Each structure stands twice: as structure tokens, then as C-alpha cells.
Amino acid sequence: MQISKRIQGMGEPALLKYYPLVSKAEARGTKVYYLNIGQPDITTPPSFMEKVNAMKNDVLAYAEPEGETALRQEAVKYYSKYGFDYGVDDMLITNGGSEALLFTFLTICNPGDEIVTPEPLYSIYKEMASACSVGLRGIMTYTEEGFALPDKKAIEAVITPATKAILITNPGNPTGKVYTKEEIERLRDIALAHNLYIITDEVYREFIYDGLSYTSPGHYPELAENCIIIDSISKRYSACGARIGFILSKNHSFMEQVRKLCQMRLAVSSVDQLGAAELFKLDTGFFDDVLKEYTHRRDIVYDCLKNIDGVIFKKPTGAFYYVVKLPVLNACDFIEWMITDFEYQGATVLLSPANDFYIHPEDGVDEVRLAYVLKDSDMKQAMEVLGRGLAEYRSRFPEKSR
């Protein structure tokens, strides 16, 4: 019996291989600080569960394939606050942002088509592309430059006749990069010149620091036919378990076709949609305290990293991640050693290897992604452990260090 080449070509998240080691560390009494995954710890707004618990339905029926109208109506109000002009018919509800991406890839690409995306990239993009028999071509960006996009000529050099779209995450995962208005307009001009879609993954829209303004391809009327927004309630409302995502586009032809996939899978959970509609009723001021908390955490990490010898990083302007270039030759080896052989005051840390966020795993081998999703005291202690671990690793293994 054979397995499809599509599935065989898919990988698994690199960090999964560390969990058996983490279980052993915890079994021997070591506290592990999880800096490897973007799971927010902010309390989910209580209005979600209050609405769900108040349900009086005798039967949980299928929801509308396109998404419940009540949820889409609330979402329209939300998007209008951010300068978007999307109506109910311009959006589809999906099982999280991942399904939104999968449906988008399936709708716009034939097997063998290509999508261009900046690297480092959200690692799931690679598996999405493989599952859809789509090729990814990277636009390399660098830690030292704050992951700024290269110039127009460098981006166009990656485009081929097989290219169908440019894919960005804004703000970025894993980079924490917020694209400037000039960078978005550079992509706009390229997309229009080459007749490409721009797929913009905006699940971290609220997580923007230092008073920076936010620009989306969806703000440009001239991109109405080109722009596809991917969104989710997971991060902004700390509701990752409620699998509510969105596809938004004014390209009616695209939306008519992607709707077939929504009909094929029948429906998204009506229970989660009910709760999600309540979240969209929250005033945008809800995010003020959340942003203040994440800004504080970001700054804790920044102040600690400044005092660790040999690391290279830039302070992120969005999301809740750092990509850090370590003074080691192989970050995977260092991550594993931290779990199996090191602890400080009874604790260690788990990081994500950043080479998992590149198309070719030989890139980013000395980098890690660090998620600042722990409360104040834990974040400080985790960074202390990381600094101590790096110093000991470099002392014990100078041949593995730089």
C-alpha cells in the first residue's frame, strides 16, 4: 500500500522531538519554562463562556457553511474599526486560521504552482504548501536588519511564471516584524505588476508596539482583486481552543470558489461561533491592558538579552516573539542539551529551533524563536536560566560555539 507523495513531503514541527525529553526532565523534578510556543496565557474574556453556557438549544444543528450570519455581522463592525470595508459576503468562517490558509492555497494554486514568502516564515506554511503540492520560494530577511524586506528588484528576482501569490504574516511569526507602509506598498506594486494575489496573515493585528501604525494590503482599494486576508480570534482574544478563523476578500470569483470547500466540510462549530460573536462585541479598549502586558514582557526579554554575551537580535515591533541568533553553531544541539543536561535553581527552558521556520533547514541553524508568553516573574527567571545555560554551554563546548 502506498502513501501519497504530498503527505510524505510534509514534515512535523521540529520542536515535537523535544517533548519526550521534556517529560523526562519534569519527571526528575526540573521545572521547564516553555518559551517554544505562542500559547497566550492571558485570561480568555469571560463573555465567551457566559454566552456558550447560556445556550438553550435543544439540538445542535449544522451552522451555515459560510459561517453564522450573526458572527459575520459582528466581525464586520470589528474590521471597520481598523479601516477595512468588508461586508458579510466578503468573509467566510473557517476552522481556525489554518483551515483558512489551506482553503486559500487549494483555491488559487494548481499542483506545481508557487507562492513567494519572506523567510523566516510561520513553519506551518511549509506543510500547507506540501499538502497542496505547491512550491514555496523564499525572500530571505535577516535578524541583523530587523527582518526588513529587500528592495523591489530582489523580491522580483524570486518570482517565476509559476508564482501565484505573495504570502506575508503581519505582524510576523516568528520574527515580530511589523511591515511599514512603504514595505506594504512595495509588495502592492509588485503584486499589481505581476498579477499576483497577496495573502496576508493578520492574526497578530493588535500586537503592535511603540505606537507604530498598522498598514494592511486590505487598506488599498486597488488591491481589491488581489488581496486575501487570513485571520483568527486565537491570539487577540486568547482563544486558541475556539477554532474560529476568517477568509476575507473582495475578489468575488475567488470567494465563490473557496465557498465550495466550506460547503464540502459542512460547517464550523456553532458553539464556538456563538462565543466568538460575543468577543467581537468587546470594545477595542480591551486590548490596551493586553498590549501593555506584552510590551512589558517584550522589554523584560530585551533587557535580559542585552546582557547575554554573543547574542544577536532586534527588539520586535509586533506579535510576541523574538528570533535570536545564538553564539553557538547548532541551536538544536543547544536546545536539547538545555533539557537533558542543564538546570539552574531547579529549572531549564525550552526554545523553538529557528531553522524550522526556514524553507531549507540548513538556514537559521544558529537561531531560536523565543515566545514571551509567560508572566513577569516567570519571564525574568526563564531569561536568567537561558543566560546561565548559554554561558555554561559555551564554556563546556568551545568547539560548538562561536
Side-chain angles (χ1 to χ4, degrees):
M1 304 293 288
Q2 293 185 339
I3 302 298
S4 75
K5 292 180 180 179
R6 290 190 305 275
I7 299 302
Q8 291 184 58
M10 293 177 65
E12 295 182 271
L15 60 86
L16 289 180
K17 68 181 180 181
Y18 300 115
Y19 281 116
L21 302 178
V22 169
S23 296
K24 291 180 181 179
E26 291 177 330
R28 64 176 181 261
T30 302
K31 178 177 178 57
V32 178
Y33 289 107
Y34 290 86
L35 305 181
N36 63 311
I37 192 164
Q39 170 59 61
D41 67 341
I42 303 296
T43 300
T44 306
S47 58
F48 183 98
M49 290 308 301
E50 289 170 359
K51 187 67 175 181
V52 169
N53 289 333
M55 288 182 67
K56 302 297 183 183
N57 303 49
D58 293 326
V59 176
L60 280 178
Y62 285 120
E64 302 169 60
E66 298 86 356
E68 297 283 34
T69 300
L71 172 55
R72 288 186 286 160
Q73 287 172 337
E74 292 300 330
V76 166
K77 300 173 189 176
Y78 162 82
Y79 288 111
S80 69
K81 296 174 184 177
Y82 289 89
F84 294 110
D85 180 27
Y86 289 107
V88 168
D89 293 333
D90 299 322
M91 66 180 70
L92 298 167
I93 310 301
T94 60
N95 286 291
S98 297
E99 186 178 74
L101 277 166
L102 178 64
F103 283 5
T104 297
F105 281 22
L106 287 171
T107 302
I108 69 172
C109 291
N110 292 312
D113 285 344
E114 296 177 346
I115 293 175
V116 167
T117 186
E119 297 184 76
L121 72 165
Y122 178 43
S123 60
I124 298 300
Y125 294 163
K126 296 187 295 182
E127 316 323 328
M128 291 282 182
S130 179
C132 299
S133 301
V134 170
L136 287 183
R137 292 177 63 85
I139 304 166
M140 195 61 71
T141 66
Y142 301 95
T143 309
E144 295 86 346
E145 299 172 1
F147 303 103
L149 287 177
D151 62 22
K152 184 172 181 281
K153 183 178 180 181
I155 296 172
E156 289 185 316
V158 182
I159 295 171
T160 75
T163 304
K164 291 296 181 289
I166 301 169
L167 168 63
I168 62 172
T169 316
N170 187 30
N173 174 11
T175 62
K177 163 72 174 172
V178 177
Y179 290 112
T180 64
K181 185 173 185 288
E182 189 278 330
E183 286 174 308
I184 294 297
E185 291 181 352
R186 192 183 316 162
L187 295 177
R188 174 200 63 187
D189 294 344
I190 293 171
L192 291 173
H194 295 271
N195 194 29
L196 302 176
Y197 290 101
I198 294 183
I199 308 168
T200 175
D201 184 343
E202 302 186 357
V203 303
Y204 296 95
R205 184 179 299 108
E206 277 73 24
F207 297 89
I208 298 178
Y209 309 109
D210 307 324
L212 294 180
S213 60
Y214 180 67
T215 304
S216 166
H219 288 143
Y220 293 89
E222 60 269 35
L223 285 175
E225 293 296 305
N226 305 72
C227 181
I228 302 168
I229 293 179
I230 305 298
D231 210 348
S232 165
I233 69 167
S234 295
K235 308 301 182 182
R236 69 176 54 95
Y237 294 114
S238 196
C240 296
R243 305 305 299 148
I244 300 296
F246 294 83
I247 300 174
L248 298 103
S249 180
K250 287 188 170 296
N251 185 319
H252 297 154
S253 175
F254 164 77
M255 293 295 279
E256 287 173 5
Q257 298 306 312
V258 76
R259 186 175 286 106
K260 295 176 182 177
L261 294 170
C262 295
Q263 294 166 341
M264 176 195 70
R265 60 91 167 102
L266 299 182
V268 174
S269 164
S270 56
V271 177
D272 288 342
Q273 291 190 70
L274 186 70
E278 290 302 300
L279 295 179
F280 278 116
K281 294 176 183 178
L282 291 170
D283 187 88
T284 52
F286 158 78
F287 299 107
D288 293 345
D289 289 340
V290 174
L291 189 62
K292 182 178 179 181
E293 173 63 20
Y294 278 103
T295 302
H296 178 55
R297 296 176 182 187
R298 178 197 66 160
D299 293 345
I300 287 173
V301 175
Y302 181 77
D303 290 339
C304 292
L305 287 175
K306 285 194 304 184
N307 295 314
I308 298 178
D309 184 46
V311 298
I312 298 172
F313 64 97
K314 293 285 187 181
K315 182 184 284 189
T317 50
F320 37 69
Y321 308 102
Y322 278 81
V323 171
V324 182
K325 189 183 292 289
L326 300 179
V328 302
L329 297 180
N330 189 306
C332 291
D333 183 78
F334 170 71
I335 292 169
E336 183 170 334
W337 176 83
M338 286 287 289
I339 297 299
T340 59
D341 294 279
F342 178 81
E343 64 177 52
Y344 173 69
Q345 296 183 345
T348 191
V349 300
L350 178 62
L351 303 163
S352 285
N355 69 334
D356 195 35
F357 299 94
Y358 289 86
I359 295 171
H360 303 292
E362 61 269 22
D363 293 322
V365 293
D366 57 353
E367 296 176 348
V368 295
R369 187 191 72 170
L370 185 159
Y372 44 98
V373 291
L374 305 181
K375 64 182 181 181
D376 181 299
S377 57
D378 287 345
M379 203 74 245
K380 290 178 180 177
Q381 183 61 22
M383 293 306 298
E384 174 73 11
V385 172
L386 175 59
R388 299 267 182 173
L390 263 174
E392 183 169 327
Y393 182 88
R394 296 179 72 194
S395 175
R396 291 181 58 179
F397 307 107
E399 75 280 5
K400 297 181 180 181
S401 307
R402 58 167 176 78

